[in-house]
Amino acid sequence: MSFKKEIQRRRTFGIISHPDAGKTTLTEKLLLFGGAIQEAGAVKSNKIKKGATSDFMEIERQRGISVATSVLAFEYDGIKINILDTPGHKDFAEDTFRTLTAVDSVIVVIDVAKGVEEQTEKLVEVCRMRNIPMIVFINKMDREGKDAFDLLDEIEQKLGLRVVPLSFPIGMGYDFKGIYNIWEKNINLFSGDSRKDIEDTIEINDLSSSELDKLVGEKAAKTLREEIELVDGIYPQFDKEEYLNGHLQPVFFGSALNNFGVRELLDCFVEIAPKPRPKKSEERLVKPDEDKFTGFVFKIHANMDPNHRNRLAFIKIVSGEFKRNTPYLHVRHDKKLKFSSPNAFFAEKKEIVDISYPGDIVGLQDTGNFKIGDTLTEGEVLNYKGVPSFSPEHFRYINNADPLKSKQLNKGIDQLMDEGVAQLFTLELNGRKVIGTVGALQYEVIQYRLEHEYGAKCTYENLNVHKACWIETDNKKSEEYKEFLRVKQRYLAKDKRGQLVFLADSPFSLQMTQQKYPNIKFHLTSEFD
């Protein structure tokens, strides 16, 4: 197959939602259609002993939540689909924001009973800022929940989207009869049995035919006719260009757990979702069909295999072909590296690939060369933007609980920080290490992983810090800067890259410091121009 054709058949997307809306379950069911797994494991169900394939860290299995973004790929109808399943839990939002830099479109999952939740609002806002095309999937239709029209209104108002339903539910909860697929003009009847043949749809070109009454009963048929008439009257016609520009969002209804409405979503997705898109670098716009390879690291995962202390850097390929055993330029280090075993993924199953194309995600074995945001090219100096560190919300001292294991502890902290789980600050005054995170749950994850993956135990001590601010000054020799360093000595630290950070203990002290030193800039993200 030609290079151009390979690009045409790739779709790379992320799934985002509030925790518990059914994101991981939906991912599982999509894989089921791709024939990638034989039996999907629901995240919560104890009946199936198999955990969800995409949750492969022990702590995720115990808690039933996803904390690391996993990458899953499968083939469907000749299309190569790459899914990035992101953590919904707000403590891991930073990982999700980074992942959004690597996707071409997203599917937003919404729970029919809870409607739009706060975490969904934040993530959708990021997608809207970047004009990422979105499809909405309203999940758990087999449970009692909000009225379909009320939900569509809520999505428009709270998320600021313009929606167009491409499928519509027939009833809900106990009365849930099935789904009318507006996109394909057919009906899929719901039996509540996820083992039944899921391809079983009945074509209905004319809703006024008596066939509909026979299928779902007169009352439900009458309601459906009225509702579809309303849909036609209220919502715009679907327009693919509008969707691709991020101005129109198709909506599907279904129940991922019962494997219902998922095929309709997937069939439409394959047809309308964007192919790999151009990406802006600091130097220029890079198009996927350029001959020369470029890509960037959007995630690093330590210890994919606890038996080997290895790290994987996840690279999104933006242009050209990525070939095994070919030397590529690591732009930040200005040195050539080559990779003998690049991995493609299916959850924890990895396979070595010889050649990958734009849109694909490749995992590279890494001994510490990579940081999040690094660029690889065939020689051109390019820097892809948009993977910043944010100021953490929580700060704690980290202490070694076992003096004999300090080497393991330092190595563990180093690797976990490279992975972007949290940020490490080293105090200038006494060299004590401070860990900053976006959410409190991350401390548990760090403690757990240090013990189980590195054999090191740690304890925490609270530290009263309001915000971490990255410091920038035009003149390091000025008296003002010297005085700032002297007076604020106890509040200064270095981050992992050696940048100077001011740890303000309250909003008031930050404001006072800014007023007192007007020529020093205080940034709340680490990436500033």
Side-chain angles (χ1 to χ4, degrees):
M1 207 182 282
S2 73
F3 171 53
K4 291 249 167 46
K5 279 216 173 99
E6 285 291 356
I7 300 177
Q8 296 292 323
R9 68 182 208 97
R10 296 241 170 346
R11 308 280 183 279
T12 304
F13 72 99
I15 300 189
I16 59 174
S17 81
H18 196 83
D20 265 2
K23 180 158 43 73
T24 304
T25 311
L26 177 63
T27 308
E28 288 282 300
K29 294 303 158 71
L30 291 171
L31 289 175
L32 197 60
F33 279 107
I37 42 178
Q38 301 314 310
E39 159 203 31
V43 185
K44 288 280 189 287
S45 161
N46 300 325
K47 293 201 248 345
I48 306 177
K49 280 290 172 277
K50 195 181 154 309
T53 310
S54 57
D55 289 358
F56 54 89
M57 261 165 61
E58 192 51 40
I59 200 159
E60 306 189 351
R61 292 207 177 103
Q62 290 174 1
R63 291 235 175 172
I65 55 168
S66 307
V67 294
T69 306
S70 27
V71 179
L72 305 148
F74 65 95
E75 294 260 342
Y76 180 77
D77 266 4
I79 299 287
K80 163 98 190 286
I81 296 180
N82 298 306
I83 304 183
L84 283 86
D85 179 20
T86 60
H89 200 287
K90 71 168 181 300
D91 288 6
F92 300 93
E94 209 169 320
D95 199 20
T96 306
F97 291 142
R98 290 197 198 109
T99 303
L100 290 175
T101 61
V103 301
D104 297 309
S105 68
V106 300
I107 289 181
V108 184
V109 184
I110 287 174
D111 179 323
V112 67
K114 297 186 182 141
V116 174
E117 295 171 272
E118 147 209 39
Q119 196 53 27
T120 322
E121 291 185 44
K122 285 197 186 126
L123 295 168
V124 167
E125 202 176 314
V126 176
C127 297
R128 275 181 47 216
M129 273 164 30
R130 301 208 163 117
N131 287 332
I132 300 176
M134 285 179 262
I135 292 180
V136 180
F137 182 69
I138 295 178
N139 193 16
K140 306 189 183 178
M141 287 309 298
D142 53 325
R143 302 189 186 173
E144 294 301 321
K146 302 184 177 183
D147 171 77
F149 287 107
D150 291 349
L151 266 173
L152 292 168
D153 282 353
E154 193 177 316
I155 292 168
E156 293 209 315
Q157 280 156 16
K158 280 198 179 165
L159 300 178
L161 303 181
R162 258 181 84 216
V163 300
V164 47
L166 292 186
S167 79
F168 211 79
I170 307 170
M172 151 195 325
Y174 295 117
D175 299 332
F176 184 52
K177 299 271 196 306
I179 281 176
Y180 175 61
N181 185 341
I182 301 173
W183 176 249
E184 290 175 10
K185 301 249 186 302
N186 60 29
I187 275 185
N188 191 351
L189 292 179
F190 180 65
S191 68
D193 178 3
S194 60
R195 290 186 301 278
K196 85 172 182 52
D197 180 15
I198 30 195
E199 302 299 312
D200 199 12
T201 55
I202 299 150
E203 210 163 303
I204 289 236
N205 290 320
D206 179 12
L207 278 185
S208 58
S209 85
S210 57
E211 186 68 10
L212 183 64
D213 302 271
K214 285 186 201 140
L215 289 173
V216 298
E218 279 178 31
K219 187 173 161 216
K222 180 170 180 262
T223 312
L224 178 67
R225 289 183 186 114
E226 288 167 358
E227 289 181 331
I228 295 299
E229 204 175 310
L230 259 175
V231 168
D232 290 343
I234 305 175
Y235 296 102
Q237 284 289 309
F238 175 70
D239 178 324
K240 189 169 167 183
E241 277 310 299
E242 290 270 276
Y243 154 73
L244 289 174
N245 294 330
H247 302 319
L248 189 66
Q249 288 75 27
V251 180
F252 285 87
F253 292 83
S255 160
L257 189 62
N258 289 299
N259 216 341
F260 198 78
V262 179
R263 187 190 59 80
E264 286 79 348
L265 171 73
L266 188 56
D267 283 347
C268 177
F269 174 82
V270 163
E271 209 172 310
I272 67 171
K275 299 163 191 66
R277 314 175 84 180
K279 186 162 176 69
K280 240 182 149 50
S281 68
E282 284 176 23
E283 293 74 12
R284 62 186 186 86
L285 186 71
V286 181
K287 296 201 167 84
D289 56 5
E290 293 180 14
D291 300 341
K292 299 245 190 302
F293 159 75
T294 67
F296 66 96
V297 178
F298 67 93
K299 179 183 174 55
I300 290 172
H301 203 320
N303 300 323
M304 296 290 280
D305 177 352
N307 304 327
H308 305 282
R309 293 269 167 267
N310 63 350
R311 301 186 348 165
L312 268 187
F314 290 80
I315 303 249
K316 159 81 185 270
I317 297 171
V318 180
S319 67
E321 296 172 343
F322 177 85
K323 297 190 175 96
R324 185 175 158 195
N325 283 326
T326 305
Y328 292 116
L329 175 69
H330 181 314
V331 174
R332 183 171 55 87
H333 284 328
D334 193 22
K335 67 174 184 189
K336 293 261 172 137
L337 301 173
K338 64 181 191 182
F339 307 92
S340 57
S341 54
N343 292 127
F345 299 94
F346 163 66
E348 58 220 285
K349 295 188 194 64
K350 307 198 290 279
E351 47 195 61
I352 290 173
V353 283
D354 289 322
I355 184 160
S356 300
Y357 299 94
D360 284 342
I361 310 290
V362 182
L364 303 179
Q365 302 293 339
D366 175 33
T367 49
N369 288 315
F370 287 117
K371 289 192 166 139
I372 286 174
D374 279 352
T375 306
L376 276 179
T377 71
E378 277 189 38
E380 186 180 353
V381 175
L382 277 181
N383 291 283
Y384 285 112
K385 290 190 55 140
V387 191
S389 295
F390 301 87
S391 168
E393 305 287 316
H394 303 260
F395 298 83
R396 291 182 194 171
Y397 287 119
I398 181 165
N399 301 320
N400 187 356
D402 179 355
L404 297 174
K405 295 281 178 73
S406 60
K407 200 167 145 207
Q408 286 90 325
L409 182 75
N410 288 337
K411 182 178 178 191
I413 292 175
D414 255 18
Q415 292 206 346
L416 291 176
M417 298 306 130
D418 277 355
E419 209 182 299
V421 174
Q423 292 176 63
L424 180 69
F425 302 103
T426 308
L427 292 182
E428 291 278 78
L429 194 62
N430 53 17
R432 283 194 76 179
K433 291 186 158 69
V434 171
I435 285 187
T437 67
V438 177
L441 182 62
Q442 274 155 310
Y443 290 109
E444 264 182 69
V445 172
I446 293 167
Q447 202 164 25
Y448 182 91
R449 290 185 61 186
L450 283 172
E451 188 175 336
H452 290 83
E453 293 172 18
Y454 298 91
K457 290 193 163 138
C458 72
T459 57
Y460 297 115
E461 246 176 273
N462 276 336
L463 173 64
N464 180 27
V465 172
H466 159 64
K467 280 274 186 268
C469 303
W470 280 268
I471 296 301
E472 185 189 14
T473 176
D474 296 333
N475 182 1
K476 290 197 168 166
K477 298 210 166 90
S478 72
E479 287 307 316
E480 180 186 0
Y481 186 63
K482 286 182 190 157
E483 186 196 324
F484 167 74
L485 295 182
R486 193 176 67 247
V487 173
K488 295 295 177 189
Q489 191 184 5
R490 354 191 325 241
Y491 301 103
L492 296 178
K494 289 262 169 68
D495 73 359
K496 211 168 173 250
R497 300 214 300 247
Q499 287 176 293
L500 188 66
V501 177
F502 170 57
L503 302 174
D505 55 359
S506 69
F508 177 69
S509 89
L510 175 57
Q511 203 181 343
M512 295 305 289
T513 310
Q514 283 170 315
Q515 283 172 4
K516 192 169 172 194
Y517 304 104
N519 295 314
I520 296 175
K521 294 196 186 95
F522 297 81
H523 298 279
L524 289 175
T525 63
S526 64
E527 217 178 67
F528 40 85
D529 299 321

